[in-house]
Coordinates of all heavy atoms in Angstrom, one line a residue:
Chain A
L2 N 240.0 -47.9 98.1 CA 239.3 -46.7 97.9 C 240.0 -45.7 97.0 O 241.2 -45.5 97.1 CB 239.1 -46.0 99.3 CG 238.0 -46.6 100.2 CD1 238.1 -45.9 101.6 CD2 236.7 -46.5 99.6
K5 N 238.9 -39.8 95.7 CA 237.7 -38.9 95.8 C 236.6 -39.6 96.6 O 235.7 -38.9 97.1 CB 237.2 -38.4 94.5 CG 236.5 -39.5 93.6 CD 236.1 -38.9 92.3 CE 235.4 -39.9 91.3 NZ 234.1 -40.2 91.6
D6 N 236.7 -40.9 96.8 CA 235.7 -41.6 97.6 C 236.1 -41.6 99.1 O 235.3 -42.0 99.9 CB 235.6 -43.1 97.1 CG 234.7 -43.1 95.9 OD1 234.1 -42.1 95.6 OD2 234.6 -44.2 95.3
N10 N 232.0 -40.6 101.7 CA 231.1 -41.3 102.6 C 230.8 -40.4 103.8 O 229.6 -40.2 104.2 CB 231.5 -42.7 103.0 CG 233.0 -42.7 103.6 OD1 233.6 -41.6 103.6 ND2 233.4 -43.8 104.0
L13 N 228.6 -37.4 102.7 CA 227.2 -37.8 102.5 C 226.4 -38.0 103.7 O 225.2 -37.7 103.8 CB 227.1 -39.1 101.6 CG 227.4 -38.8 100.1 CD1 227.5 -40.2 99.4 CD2 226.4 -38.0 99.5
S17 N 223.1 -35.8 108.0 CA 222.2 -36.5 108.9 C 222.8 -36.5 110.3 O 222.1 -36.3 111.3 CB 222.0 -37.9 108.5 OG 221.4 -38.0 107.2
F24 N 219.2 -31.9 116.6 CA 217.8 -32.1 117.0 C 217.6 -33.1 118.1 O 216.5 -33.1 118.7 CB 217.0 -32.5 115.7 CG 216.6 -31.3 114.9 CD1 217.6 -30.7 114.0 CD2 215.4 -30.7 114.9 CE1 217.3 -29.6 113.2 CE2 215.0 -29.6 114.1 CZ 216.0 -29.1 113.3
Y26 N 220.6 -34.7 120.3 CA 221.4 -34.4 121.5 C 221.5 -33.0 121.9 O 221.5 -32.7 123.1 CB 222.8 -35.1 121.2 CG 222.7 -36.5 121.1 CD1 222.5 -37.2 119.8 CD2 222.5 -37.3 122.2 CE1 222.3 -38.5 119.7 CE2 222.3 -38.7 122.1 CZ 222.2 -39.3 120.9 OH 221.9 -40.6 120.8
F28 N 219.2 -30.7 121.5 CA 217.9 -30.4 122.1 C 217.7 -31.0 123.5 O 217.1 -30.4 124.4 CB 216.7 -30.7 121.2 CG 216.5 -29.8 120.0 CD1 217.4 -28.8 119.8 CD2 215.4 -30.0 119.2 CE1 217.3 -28.0 118.7 CE2 215.3 -29.1 118.0 CZ 216.2 -28.1 117.8
W31 N 219.6 -28.8 125.7 CA 218.9 -27.6 125.9 C 217.8 -27.8 126.9 O 217.6 -27.0 127.8 CB 218.4 -27.1 124.5 CG 217.8 -25.8 124.4 CD1 217.4 -25.0 125.4 CD2 217.5 -25.1 123.2 NE1 216.8 -23.9 124.9 CE2 216.8 -23.9 123.6 CE3 217.6 -25.4 121.8 CZ2 216.4 -22.9 122.6 CZ3 217.2 -24.5 120.9 CH2 216.6 -23.3 121.2
S32 N 217.0 -28.9 126.7 CA 215.9 -29.2 127.6 C 216.5 -29.3 129.1 O 215.9 -28.9 130.0 CB 215.2 -30.4 127.2 OG 214.2 -30.2 126.3
W40 N 212.7 -20.7 134.5 CA 211.9 -20.2 133.4 C 210.5 -20.5 133.6 O 210.0 -21.6 133.7 CB 212.4 -20.9 132.1 CG 211.7 -20.4 130.9 CD1 210.6 -19.6 130.8 CD2 212.0 -20.8 129.5 NE1 210.3 -19.4 129.4 CE2 211.1 -20.1 128.7 CE3 213.0 -21.6 128.9 CZ2 211.1 -20.3 127.3 CZ3 213.1 -21.8 127.6 CH2 212.1 -21.1 126.8
P45 N 212.1 -16.5 128.0 CA 213.1 -17.4 128.5 C 213.9 -16.8 129.7 O 214.2 -15.6 129.7 CB 214.1 -17.7 127.4 CG 213.3 -17.4 126.1 CD 212.3 -16.3 126.5
S105 N 197.0 -60.3 109.0 CA 196.7 -58.9 108.6 C 195.7 -58.3 109.5 O 195.8 -57.2 109.9 CB 196.2 -58.9 107.1 OG 197.2 -59.5 106.3
L108 N 197.0 -57.3 112.8 CA 198.0 -56.2 112.7 C 197.3 -54.8 112.3 O 197.9 -53.8 112.6 CB 199.0 -56.5 111.6 CG 200.2 -57.3 112.1 CD1 201.0 -57.8 111.0 CD2 201.1 -56.5 113.1
F109 N 196.2 -54.9 111.7 CA 195.5 -53.7 111.3 C 195.6 -52.6 112.2 O 195.9 -51.4 111.8 CB 194.0 -54.2 111.1 CG 193.4 -53.7 109.8 CD1 194.1 -53.7 108.6 CD2 192.1 -53.2 109.8 CE1 193.6 -53.3 107.4 CE2 191.5 -52.7 108.6 CZ 192.3 -52.8 107.4
M111 N 197.6 -51.5 114.2 CA 198.9 -50.8 114.3 C 199.0 -49.7 113.2 O 199.8 -48.8 113.4 CB 200.0 -51.9 114.0 CG 200.7 -52.4 115.1 SD 201.7 -51.2 116.0 CE 203.2 -51.1 115.0
A112 N 198.3 -49.8 112.2 CA 198.4 -48.8 111.1 C 197.5 -47.6 111.4 O 197.6 -46.6 110.6 CB 198.0 -49.5 109.8
S114 N 196.1 -44.4 113.7 CA 196.7 -43.5 114.8 C 195.9 -43.7 116.1 O 194.8 -44.0 116.1 CB 196.6 -42.0 114.3 OG 195.4 -41.4 114.6
I116 N 194.9 -41.4 117.8 CA 193.8 -40.5 117.9 C 192.5 -41.1 117.3 O 191.4 -41.1 118.0 CB 194.1 -39.2 117.1 CG1 195.3 -38.4 117.6 CG2 192.9 -38.3 117.0 CD1 195.0 -37.9 119.0
V120 N 189.3 -42.0 119.5 CA 187.9 -41.5 119.3 C 186.9 -42.6 119.2 O 185.8 -42.5 119.8 CB 187.9 -40.6 118.0 CG1 186.5 -40.3 117.6 CG2 188.7 -39.3 118.2
R123 N 186.4 -44.0 122.7 CA 185.7 -43.0 123.5 C 184.2 -43.3 123.4 O 183.5 -43.1 124.4 CB 186.0 -41.6 122.9 CG 185.4 -40.5 123.5 CD 185.5 -39.4 122.4 NE 185.2 -38.1 123.0 CZ 186.1 -37.2 123.3 NH1 187.3 -37.4 123.2 NH2 185.7 -36.0 123.9
W124 N 183.8 -43.7 122.2 CA 182.4 -44.1 122.1 C 182.1 -45.4 122.8 O 181.2 -45.6 123.5 CB 182.0 -44.1 120.6 CG 180.6 -44.6 120.3 CD1 179.5 -43.9 120.6 CD2 180.2 -45.9 120.0 NE1 178.4 -44.7 120.3 CE2 178.8 -46.0 119.9 CE3 180.9 -47.1 119.6 CZ2 178.1 -47.1 119.5 CZ3 180.2 -48.3 119.2 CH2 178.8 -48.2 119.2
G136 N 177.9 -47.6 123.1 CA 179.1 -48.5 123.1 C 179.0 -49.8 123.8 O 177.9 -50.4 123.8
L140 N 175.9 -52.5 124.8 CA 175.9 -53.9 124.3 C 175.7 -54.8 125.5 O 174.9 -55.8 125.4 CB 177.3 -54.2 123.7 CG 177.5 -55.6 123.2 CD1 176.6 -55.9 122.0 CD2 179.0 -55.8 122.8
Y175 N 200.9 -56.4 117.1 CA 202.4 -56.3 116.9 C 203.1 -57.3 117.7 O 204.0 -58.0 117.3 CB 202.7 -54.9 117.4 CG 204.2 -54.6 117.6 CD1 205.0 -54.4 116.5 CD2 204.8 -54.6 118.8 CE1 206.4 -54.2 116.6 CE2 206.1 -54.3 119.0 CZ 206.9 -54.1 117.9 OH 208.2 -53.9 118.1
A178 N 203.0 -60.5 116.1 CA 203.9 -60.6 114.9 C 205.3 -61.0 115.3 O 205.9 -61.8 114.7 CB 203.8 -59.3 114.1
I179 N 205.8 -60.4 116.4 CA 207.1 -60.7 116.8 C 207.2 -62.1 117.4 O 208.2 -62.8 117.2 CB 207.9 -59.6 117.6 CG1 207.1 -59.3 118.9 CG2 208.1 -58.3 116.9 CD1 207.9 -58.4 119.8
K231 N 205.5 -43.3 127.2 CA 205.3 -42.2 126.4 C 203.8 -41.9 126.1 O 203.5 -41.0 125.4 CB 206.0 -42.4 125.0 CG 207.5 -42.5 125.2 CD 208.2 -42.3 123.8 CE 208.8 -43.5 123.2 NZ 209.5 -43.4 122.0
D234 N 198.7 -39.5 123.2 CA 197.6 -39.1 122.3 C 196.4 -40.0 122.7 O 195.3 -39.4 122.6 CB 197.9 -39.4 120.8 CG 199.4 -39.6 120.5 OD1 200.2 -39.7 121.4 OD2 199.7 -39.6 119.3
A250 N 203.5 -37.4 130.4 CA 203.6 -36.7 129.1 C 202.5 -35.6 129.0 O 202.7 -34.6 128.4 CB 203.3 -37.7 128.0
M253 N 203.6 -32.8 131.3 CA 204.6 -32.0 130.7 C 204.0 -31.0 129.7 O 204.3 -29.8 129.7 CB 205.5 -32.9 129.9 CG 206.8 -32.3 129.2 SD 206.3 -31.6 127.6 CE 207.7 -30.5 127.3
W254 N 203.0 -31.5 128.9 CA 202.3 -30.7 128.0 C 201.6 -29.5 128.6 O 201.7 -28.4 128.2 CB 201.3 -31.6 127.3 CG 200.4 -30.9 126.4 CD1 199.2 -30.4 126.7 CD2 200.7 -30.5 125.1 NE1 198.7 -29.8 125.6 CE2 199.6 -29.8 124.6 CE3 201.8 -30.7 124.3 CZ2 199.5 -29.3 123.4 CZ3 201.7 -30.2 123.0 CH2 200.6 -29.5 122.5
V277 N 213.2 -43.8 129.9 CA 213.2 -44.6 128.6 C 214.7 -45.1 128.4 O 214.9 -46.2 128.0 CB 212.7 -43.7 127.5 CG1 213.1 -44.4 126.1 CG2 211.3 -43.5 127.5
I281 N 216.1 -48.7 127.3 CA 216.5 -48.9 125.9 C 218.0 -49.0 125.7 O 218.5 -49.8 124.9 CB 216.0 -47.7 125.1 CG1 214.5 -47.7 124.9 CG2 216.6 -47.6 123.7 CD1 214.0 -48.9 124.2
Y284 N 219.2 -52.5 126.0 CA 218.6 -53.3 124.9 C 219.3 -53.0 123.6 O 219.6 -53.9 122.9 CB 217.1 -52.8 124.8 CG 216.4 -53.3 123.6 CD1 216.1 -54.7 123.5 CD2 216.0 -52.5 122.6 CE1 215.3 -55.2 122.5 CE2 215.3 -53.0 121.5 CZ 215.0 -54.3 121.5 OH 214.4 -54.8 120.3
Chain B
M1 N 171.5 -49.2 119.0 CA 172.8 -48.9 118.4 C 173.5 -50.1 118.0 O 174.2 -50.1 117.0 CB 173.6 -48.1 119.4 CG 174.1 -46.8 118.8 SD 175.1 -45.9 120.0 CE 173.8 -45.0 120.9
W2 N 173.3 -51.2 118.7 CA 173.9 -52.5 118.3 C 173.0 -53.3 117.4 O 173.4 -54.5 117.1 CB 174.3 -53.3 119.6 CG 175.5 -52.7 120.2 CD1 175.5 -51.8 121.3 CD2 176.9 -52.9 119.9 NE1 176.7 -51.4 121.6 CE2 177.6 -52.0 120.8 CE3 177.6 -53.6 119.0 CZ2 179.0 -52.0 120.8 CZ3 179.0 -53.6 119.0 CH2 179.7 -52.8 119.9
I41 N 217.1 -40.0 102.2 CA 218.1 -39.9 103.2 C 218.5 -41.2 103.8 O 219.7 -41.5 104.0 CB 217.7 -38.8 104.3 CG1 217.5 -37.5 103.7 CG2 218.6 -38.8 105.4 CD1 216.9 -36.5 104.7
N45 N 222.2 -43.0 103.9 CA 222.8 -43.3 105.2 C 223.0 -44.8 105.4 O 224.1 -45.2 105.8 CB 221.9 -42.9 106.3 CG 222.0 -41.3 106.5 OD1 222.8 -40.7 105.9 ND2 221.0 -40.8 107.3
I48 N 226.0 -46.2 103.4 CA 227.3 -45.9 104.0 C 227.5 -46.7 105.3 O 228.6 -47.2 105.4 CB 227.4 -44.4 104.2 CG1 227.6 -43.8 102.7 CG2 228.7 -44.0 105.0 CD1 227.4 -42.3 102.7
W52 N 230.2 -48.6 103.5 CA 231.3 -47.7 103.4 C 231.6 -47.1 104.7 O 231.6 -45.9 104.9 CB 231.1 -46.6 102.3 CG 230.9 -47.1 101.0 CD1 229.8 -47.6 100.4 CD2 232.0 -47.3 100.0 NE1 230.0 -48.1 99.1 CE2 231.4 -47.9 98.9 CE3 233.4 -47.0 100.0 CZ2 232.1 -48.2 97.7 CZ3 234.1 -47.3 98.8 CH2 233.4 -47.9 97.7
F63 N 224.3 -44.2 118.4 CA 223.8 -42.9 118.9 C 222.7 -42.3 118.0 O 221.8 -41.7 118.4 CB 224.9 -41.9 119.0 CG 225.8 -42.0 120.2 CD1 226.9 -42.8 120.2 CD2 225.4 -41.4 121.4 CE1 227.7 -43.0 121.3 CE2 226.2 -41.6 122.6 CZ 227.3 -42.4 122.5
G67 N 218.0 -42.2 118.9 CA 217.0 -41.1 118.6 C 215.6 -41.6 118.3 O 214.6 -40.9 118.5
F69 N 214.0 -43.9 119.9 CA 213.3 -44.2 121.2 C 213.0 -43.1 122.1 O 212.2 -43.2 123.0 CB 214.1 -45.3 121.9 CG 214.3 -46.6 121.2 CD1 215.5 -46.9 120.6 CD2 213.2 -47.5 121.1 CE1 215.7 -48.0 119.8 CE2 213.4 -48.7 120.3 CZ 214.6 -48.9 119.7
I70 N 213.6 -42.0 121.9 CA 213.5 -40.9 122.9 C 212.0 -40.4 123.0 O 211.3 -40.4 122.0 CB 214.4 -39.6 122.6 CG1 214.1 -39.0 121.3 CG2 215.8 -40.0 122.7 CD1 214.6 -37.7 121.1
Q73 N 208.8 -35.5 124.3 CA 208.7 -34.5 125.4 C 210.0 -33.9 125.8 O 210.1 -32.8 126.2 CB 208.0 -35.1 126.6 CG 206.5 -35.2 126.5 CD 206.0 -36.4 125.7 OE1 206.8 -37.2 125.4 NE2 204.8 -36.4 125.3
S74 N 211.1 -34.7 125.6 CA 212.4 -34.2 126.1 C 213.0 -33.3 125.1 O 214.1 -32.7 125.4 CB 213.3 -35.4 126.4 OG 213.6 -36.1 125.2
I75 N 212.5 -33.1 123.9 CA 213.0 -32.2 122.9 C 212.0 -31.1 122.5 O 212.3 -30.3 121.6 CB 213.7 -32.9 121.7 CG1 212.7 -34.0 121.1 CG2 214.9 -33.6 122.1 CD1 211.9 -33.4 120.0
P78 N 212.8 -27.1 123.0 CA 213.8 -26.6 122.0 C 213.2 -26.6 120.6 O 213.4 -25.7 119.8 CB 215.0 -27.5 122.2 CG 214.8 -28.0 123.6 CD 213.4 -28.1 123.8
R81 N 210.9 -23.7 119.8 CA 211.6 -22.4 119.7 C 212.6 -22.3 118.6 O 212.7 -21.3 117.9 CB 212.3 -22.2 121.1 CG 211.4 -22.2 122.3 CD 212.0 -21.6 123.5 NE 212.2 -20.2 123.4 CZ 211.3 -19.2 123.7 NH1 210.1 -19.7 124.1 NH2 211.6 -18.0 123.6
I100 N 213.6 -35.4 110.1 CA 214.8 -35.5 111.0 C 214.6 -36.5 112.0 O 215.5 -37.4 112.2 CB 215.1 -34.1 111.6 CG1 215.6 -33.2 110.5 CG2 216.1 -34.2 112.7 CD1 215.8 -31.8 110.9
Y101 N 213.5 -36.6 112.7 CA 213.3 -37.6 113.7 C 213.0 -39.0 113.1 O 213.0 -40.0 113.8 CB 212.2 -37.2 114.7 CG 212.6 -36.0 115.5 CD1 212.2 -34.7 115.3 CD2 213.6 -36.2 116.5 CE1 212.7 -33.6 116.0 CE2 214.1 -35.1 117.2 CZ 213.6 -33.8 117.0 OH 214.1 -32.8 117.6
D131 N 232.5 -46.1 90.9 CA 232.9 -45.5 92.1 C 231.8 -45.7 93.2 O 230.8 -46.4 92.9 CB 233.3 -44.1 92.0 CG 232.2 -43.2 91.5 OD1 231.1 -43.8 91.3 OD2 232.4 -42.0 91.2
M132 N 231.9 -45.1 94.3 CA 231.0 -45.4 95.4 C 229.6 -45.0 95.0 O 228.6 -45.8 95.2 CB 231.4 -44.5 96.6 CG 230.6 -44.8 97.8 SD 231.3 -43.8 99.2 CE 230.0 -42.7 99.4
N161 N 199.9 -40.5 111.3 CA 199.3 -40.8 112.6 C 199.8 -39.9 113.7 O 199.3 -39.9 114.8 CB 199.6 -42.2 113.0 CG 198.8 -43.2 112.0 OD1 197.9 -42.8 111.4 ND2 199.2 -44.4 112.1
F163 N 200.6 -37.0 116.3 CA 199.7 -36.0 116.9 C 200.6 -34.9 117.7 O 200.4 -33.7 117.6 CB 198.7 -36.6 117.9 CG 197.8 -35.7 118.7 CD1 196.8 -35.1 118.1 CD2 198.0 -35.5 120.0 CE1 196.0 -34.2 118.7 CE2 197.2 -34.6 120.7 CZ 196.2 -33.9 120.1
L164 N 201.6 -35.4 118.4 CA 202.3 -34.6 119.3 C 203.0 -33.4 118.5 O 202.9 -32.3 118.9 CB 203.3 -35.4 120.1 CG 204.1 -34.6 121.1 CD1 203.2 -34.1 122.2 CD2 205.2 -35.5 121.7
V167 N 200.5 -31.0 116.9 CA 199.8 -30.0 117.8 C 200.7 -28.9 118.3 O 200.2 -27.8 118.5 CB 199.1 -30.8 118.9 CG1 200.0 -31.1 120.1 CG2 197.8 -30.2 119.3
V168 N 202.0 -29.1 118.3 CA 202.9 -28.0 118.7 C 203.4 -27.2 117.5 O 203.8 -26.0 117.7 CB 204.1 -28.4 119.6 CG1 203.7 -28.8 120.9 CG2 204.9 -29.4 118.9
T178 N 194.9 -35.6 112.2 CA 194.8 -36.1 113.6 C 194.3 -35.0 114.6 O 193.5 -35.2 115.5 CB 196.1 -36.7 114.1 OG1 197.2 -35.8 113.7 CG2 196.4 -38.1 113.5
N182 N 190.7 -34.9 116.5 CA 190.7 -34.8 117.9 C 189.9 -33.6 118.4 O 189.1 -33.7 119.3 CB 192.1 -34.7 118.5 CG 192.1 -34.8 120.1 OD1 191.5 -35.7 120.6 ND2 192.7 -33.8 120.7
A185 N 186.2 -34.3 117.7 CA 185.6 -35.2 118.7 C 185.5 -34.6 120.1 O 184.6 -35.0 120.8 CB 186.5 -36.5 118.7
W192 N 177.8 -38.6 117.4 CA 178.7 -39.8 117.4 C 178.9 -40.3 116.0 O 180.0 -40.6 115.6 CB 178.1 -40.9 118.2 CG 178.3 -40.8 119.7 CD1 177.3 -40.7 120.6 CD2 179.5 -40.7 120.5 NE1 177.8 -40.6 121.9 CE2 179.2 -40.6 121.8 CE3 180.8 -40.7 120.1 CZ2 180.1 -40.5 122.8 CZ3 181.8 -40.7 121.2 CH2 181.4 -40.6 122.5
M196 N 182.4 -40.9 114.1 CA 182.9 -42.2 113.7 C 183.2 -42.1 112.2 O 184.2 -42.7 111.7 CB 181.8 -43.3 113.9 CG 181.6 -43.6 115.4 SD 183.1 -44.0 116.2 CE 183.1 -42.8 117.5
S199 N 186.5 -40.5 111.9 CA 187.6 -41.5 112.3 C 187.9 -42.3 111.1 O 189.1 -42.6 110.8 CB 187.2 -42.4 113.4 OG 186.8 -41.6 114.5
T206 N 195.9 -44.7 105.5 CA 196.8 -45.7 106.0 C 196.3 -47.1 105.9 O 197.0 -48.0 105.6 CB 197.2 -45.5 107.5 OG1 196.0 -45.3 108.3 CG2 198.0 -44.2 107.7
Y210 N 197.9 -50.0 103.8 CA 198.2 -51.3 104.6 C 197.6 -52.5 103.8 O 198.2 -53.5 103.8 CB 197.5 -51.1 105.9 CG 197.6 -52.4 106.8 CD1 198.7 -52.6 107.6 CD2 196.6 -53.3 106.7 CE1 198.7 -53.8 108.3 CE2 196.6 -54.4 107.4 CZ 197.7 -54.7 108.2 OH 197.7 -55.8 109.0
L218 N 204.7 -54.9 107.9 CA 205.1 -55.7 109.0 C 206.7 -55.7 109.1 O 207.2 -55.6 110.2 CB 204.7 -57.1 108.7 CG 205.1 -58.2 109.7 CD1 204.7 -57.9 111.1 CD2 204.6 -59.6 109.3
M221 N 207.7 -52.6 110.9 CA 207.5 -52.7 112.3 C 208.5 -53.5 113.0 O 209.0 -53.2 114.1 CB 206.1 -53.4 112.6 CG 205.1 -52.4 112.5 SD 203.5 -53.1 112.9 CE 203.9 -54.8 113.0
L222 N 208.9 -54.7 112.4 CA 209.9 -55.5 113.0 C 211.2 -54.8 113.1 O 212.0 -55.0 114.0 CB 210.0 -56.9 112.3 CG 208.8 -57.7 112.4 CD1 208.9 -59.0 111.6 CD2 208.3 -58.0 113.8
S225 N 211.7 -52.8 116.1 CA 212.1 -53.5 117.3 C 213.6 -54.0 117.0 O 214.1 -54.9 117.7 CB 211.2 -54.6 117.7 OG 211.2 -55.6 116.7

Side-chain angles (χ1 to χ4, degrees):
Chain A
L2 285 173
K5 74 181 175 79
D6 280 352
N10 53 358
L13 284 172
S17 295
F24 280 77
Y26 295 96
F28 283 6
W31 186 348
S32 275
W40 182 355
S105 302
L108 273 170
F109 224 42
M111 260 295 280
S114 88
I116 296 295
V120 170
R123 177 200 192 101
W124 175 76
L140 178 68
Y175 168 78
I179 58 176
K231 299 198 250 184
D234 343 15
M253 184 276 163
W254 173 265
V277 167
I281 289 298
Y284 173 70
Chain B
M1 233 177 277
W2 286 93
I41 294 175
N45 288 349
I48 290 166
W52 296 87
F63 281 93
F69 298 101
I70 61 165
Q73 279 78 13
S74 63
I75 48 91
R81 299 196 73 85
I100 290 175
Y101 292 102
D131 58 7
M132 187 175 113
N161 290 343
F163 177 74
L164 185 64
V167 85
V168 290
T178 45
N182 182 54
W192 283 119
M196 293 304 123
S199 303
T206 51
Y210 176 88
L218 177 59
M221 275 183 351
L222 294 179
S225 64

